[in-house]
Amino acid sequence: MNRGWKGAACFLGSWILLTAVLFPGVRAVVEAVAPGMFTPPRIFGRIQMVLALLGGMGLLFYWKDTPQRFFGAKSWSGVGFKAVRWGLLGAGMVAAAAGLQKFLGVRTWAGVPGVDLWAGALATGALVALLEEFVFRGVLGLAFWRAAGEKPAALLLGVNAAIFSAAHFLRPQGEIGTGWFSGFVAWTNLELWAGSVDLWRLAGLFVAGLILARLAWQQQNLWAAVGLHAGWVAGLRICEGFWKETAQVSGGWWGPSLEAGPIPFVLLLLVAFTLWGRPIRARLD
């Protein structure tokens, strides 16, 4: 096992262990300071996120890599244009799904949202995209791919996409009891294997992960992936403001979800086929 795989295995094991060990104490502090404000599953999820970010920095140090390599730029104006262009594509994909659902009668036009919704959606999209791309396509992508050595590109990108899709279903289900072992019990009740996972959403996230990983591999930086990811997240919130769900209309394959179902999945496949139709670099920079 080379340095890349050793680091990834250590990261995963320590992340699982530390989340379980820290959860009871952090939960007790949070519930004492702000009782009723945060649910136990949400506290568990925040611990997962913080440890993933800290562990990611540790992995970069172990692999002798830096965030500057995949967040750097020769021209910041060029980076900005690239991120905005891909962001518009992401938002446009969501708008296309919402428009088609309007045509099918499961959404209705609600008018142009207010400035507060636009600002909140854009800020949320940018923050989520930066954090998730740093972890998934930065640390577990560009840094891991180089540390792992030469492997089949399709395998590395597929593993990255699988991790990305699965990570969206790591929230504990049901009540989480108290006690020093409650964190370990929470790991056994994750939505991924103890809940009812929406297979359309899981498949869509996998394809989205393939797209983002392919962009990061080809560009050798994260700005295109950050832009596209931010466009998806912001686009969901903005389009839900433009087109509201039609009242008293039953859902189905046609919607009204903008994240799961055949409509968003097909749109993702179209983009994926376009990107994967181009040659994949044989080597990493």
Side-chain angles (χ1 to χ4, degrees):
M1 183 182 291
N2 62 27
R3 193 177 185 85
W5 292 99
K6 286 180 181 178
C10 181
F11 167 81
L12 179 63
S14 60
W15 177 63
I16 294 173
L17 178 62
L18 287 174
T19 299
V21 170
L22 292 175
F23 172 69
V26 173
R27 175 184 179 180
V29 172
V30 171
E31 291 181 345
V33 174
M37 184 172 294
F38 301 98
T39 64
R42 189 175 181 186
I43 296 172
F44 190 85
R46 292 299 179 268
I47 297 173
Q48 289 175 318
M49 181 183 69
V50 172
L51 288 178
L53 292 171
L54 294 176
M57 295 302 298
L59 267 182
L60 291 180
F61 178 79
Y62 176 70
W63 286 332
K64 299 179 181 179
D65 213 330
T66 64
Q68 286 79 8
R69 182 170 72 88
F70 36 84
F71 276 124
K74 296 179 180 179
S75 168
W76 286 107
S77 60
V79 163
F81 176 75
K82 178 190 296 184
V84 170
R85 183 183 63 183
W86 283 99
L88 290 174
L89 173 62
M93 292 171 64
V94 182
L100 186 54
Q101 288 179 354
K102 178 182 180 298
F103 174 77
L104 294 172
V106 293
R107 287 187 178 272
T108 56
W109 175 255
V112 178
V115 176
D116 55 340
L117 189 147
W118 285 85
L122 293 174
T124 301
L127 180 62
V128 170
L130 283 169
L131 292 178
E132 291 196 1
E133 291 311 308
F134 167 72
V135 173
F136 292 108
R137 256 65 61 180
V139 177
L140 299 179
L142 293 170
F144 169 66
W145 296 334
R146 189 169 74 170
E150 292 300 326
K151 301 291 181 183
L155 172 63
L156 292 177
L157 299 182
V159 169
N160 185 273
I163 293 172
F164 174 70
S165 59
H168 285 77
F169 298 92
L170 297 184
R171 180 181 290 271
Q173 300 296 291
E175 294 293 328
I176 303 178
T178 57
W180 290 110
F181 295 100
S182 58
F184 293 94
V185 174
W187 275 114
T188 67
N189 292 319
L190 300 184
E191 183 182 1
L192 184 62
W193 45 70
S196 54
V197 174
D198 188 323
L199 295 180
W200 277 115
R201 184 165 180 255
L202 181 66
L205 285 166
F206 179 77
V207 177
L210 286 178
I211 294 170
L212 295 169
R214 181 69 175 85
L215 279 177
W217 184 294
Q218 184 64 31
Q219 302 285 336
Q220 288 299 294
N221 62 60
L222 298 181
W223 291 115
V226 166
L228 183 59
H229 197 154
W232 285 335
V233 175
L236 282 171
R237 286 157 176 76
I238 293 171
C239 288
E240 286 174 350
F242 273 107
W243 294 279
K244 298 293 186 182
E245 296 181 15
T246 302
Q248 299 179 345
V249 172
S250 58
W253 64 265
W254 49 84
S257 173
L258 293 173
E259 297 182 76
I263 293 177
F265 182 72
V266 169
L267 290 172
L268 287 167
L269 279 181
L270 290 175
V271 175
F273 286 145
T274 301
L275 288 175
W276 283 71
R278 303 174 183 177
I280 300 177
R281 289 184 185 180
R283 302 181 63 84
L284 293 171
D285 294 341

